[in-house]
């Protein structure tokens, strides 16, 4: 019996340590993780990327990881490093999201593209995609102050899209339906990285908030901002419309976090 005691104690220690370092999330989540390690400088690694992290008042660390919509469900390593070596390890268990199916019917020219249109769509997508990795020096805050507009959520995040019966990419944002002309306000300060009138996305604004966080607003009737401009939280950036491939006036609101397609609602 006496011999068993150290075994029991070491088992208890092991389970206490393991408990704080196993994180769970669902596809599309932004996960907040913590480490009790009190190092001067720590870097948070996951999915082969460095994620934003800050030291808290008690000297422990907090960081945020974006789980792309299409991350394969499974177990992934999380590492806290001081730049030279790994100081602490944890695991992230990613679960499959429960996403709905969404069908839309549009004019043929908005579903079957001729060669020049396809070329235009691809070059517009390349320009927008470049904003997802553009460095922006801004306040290290990833929390959105609210939704960018009042309205009804018409298509949720992650929905599997069918356009005229053909499966397309999953819905990488949320759609908020509201009357044309309704104001769109930015829920977080940042720098306007891109303003464009795109074939599919319509009038679009991309805002970089720093820390690898970029929000995108599409199908706008009008835009009030220009590229390079810094904007404040709650500033109006334009109005709801139905430009591009849209079946009615609505805002498509998408968020990329270090290029991961994440659910904007997980940042509210
Ligand atoms: Zn949408």
């Amino acid at each position: 019996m006496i011999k068993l005691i150290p075994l029991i104690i070491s088992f208890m220690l092991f389970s206490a340590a393991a408990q704080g370092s196993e994180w769970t999330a669902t596809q599309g989540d932004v996960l907040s993780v913590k480490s009790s390690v009190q190092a001067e400088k720590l870097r948070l690694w996951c999915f082969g990327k460095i994620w934003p992290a800050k030291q808290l008042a008690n000297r422990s660390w907090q960081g945020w990881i974006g789980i792309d919509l299409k991350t394969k469900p499974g177990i992934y390593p999380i590492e806290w490093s001081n730049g030279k070596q790994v100081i602490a390890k944890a695991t992230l268990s990613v679960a499959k999201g429960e996403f709905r199916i969404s069908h839309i019917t549009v004019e043929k020219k908005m579903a079957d593209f001729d060669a020049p249109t396809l070329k235009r769509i691809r070059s517009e997508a390349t320009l927008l995609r470049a904003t997802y990795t553009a460095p922006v020096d801004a306040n290290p805050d990833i929390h959105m102050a609210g939704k960018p507009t009042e309205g009804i959520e018409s298509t949720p995040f992650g929905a599997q899209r069918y356009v005229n019966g053909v499966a397309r990419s999953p819905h990488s944002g949320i759609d908020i339906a509201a009357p044309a002309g309704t104001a769109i306000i930015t829920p977080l300060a940042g720098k306007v990285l891109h303003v464009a009138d795109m074939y599919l996305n319509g009038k679009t604004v991309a805002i970089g908030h720093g820390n690898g966080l970029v929000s995108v607003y599409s199908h706008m009737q009008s835009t009030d901002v220009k590229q390079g401009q810094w904007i404040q939280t709650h500033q109006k950036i334009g109005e709801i419309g139905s430009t591009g491939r849209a079946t009615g006036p609505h805002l498509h609101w998408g968020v990329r976090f270090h290029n991961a397609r994440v659910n904007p609602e997980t940042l509210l």
Side-chain angles (χ1 to χ4, degrees), residues 53-191:
K54 66 174 184 185
Q55 194 164 31
L56 304 174
N58 65 2
R59 301 191 68 229
S60 67
W61 285 77
Q62 181 179 19
W64 295 271
I65 298 168
I67 293 115
D68 184 78
L69 172 60
K70 282 291 185 185
T71 302
K72 207 170 157 227
I75 310 283
Y76 295 87
I78 294 175
E79 290 179 348
W80 293 90
S81 123
N82 64 1
K84 291 189 186 118
Q85 58 185 23
V86 175
I87 302 288
K89 286 185 179 181
T91 58
L92 166 60
S93 173
V94 176
K96 194 169 169 21
E98 297 290 325
F99 301 128
R100 180 187 114 178
I101 288 173
S102 149
H103 285 269
I104 62 165
T105 306
V106 294
E107 282 179 84
K108 198 174 179 297
K109 69 168 188 158
M110 283 297 177
D112 301 309
F113 314 115
D114 58 23
T117 307
L118 199 57
K119 199 176 163 203
R120 177 182 163 189
I121 290 169
R122 284 184 178 150
S123 76
E124 286 172 347
T126 302
L127 289 174
L128 181 60
R129 204 158 46 233
T131 68
Y132 303 151
T133 48
V136 174
D137 189 13
N139 179 21
D141 184 4
I142 66 158
H143 294 101
M144 302 279 177
K147 289 187 182 179
T149 193
E150 296 289 325
I152 297 156
E153 187 174 301
S154 51
T155 309
F157 177 81
Q160 174 57 57
R161 308 298 297 272
Y162 286 83
V163 177
N164 296 357
V166 179
R168 302 280 173 160
S169 334
H171 195 227
S172 61
I174 62 171
D175 287 348
I176 304 169
T182 305
I184 299 165
I185 55 159
T186 179
L188 183 61
K191 184 182 181 180

Side-chain angles (χ1 to χ4, degrees), residues 43-58:
R43 278 187 189 153
L44 173 62
W45 284 87
C46 190
F47 304 124
K49 298 176 194 175
I50 298 176
W51 298 90
K54 66 174 184 185
Q55 194 164 31
L56 304 174
N58 65 2

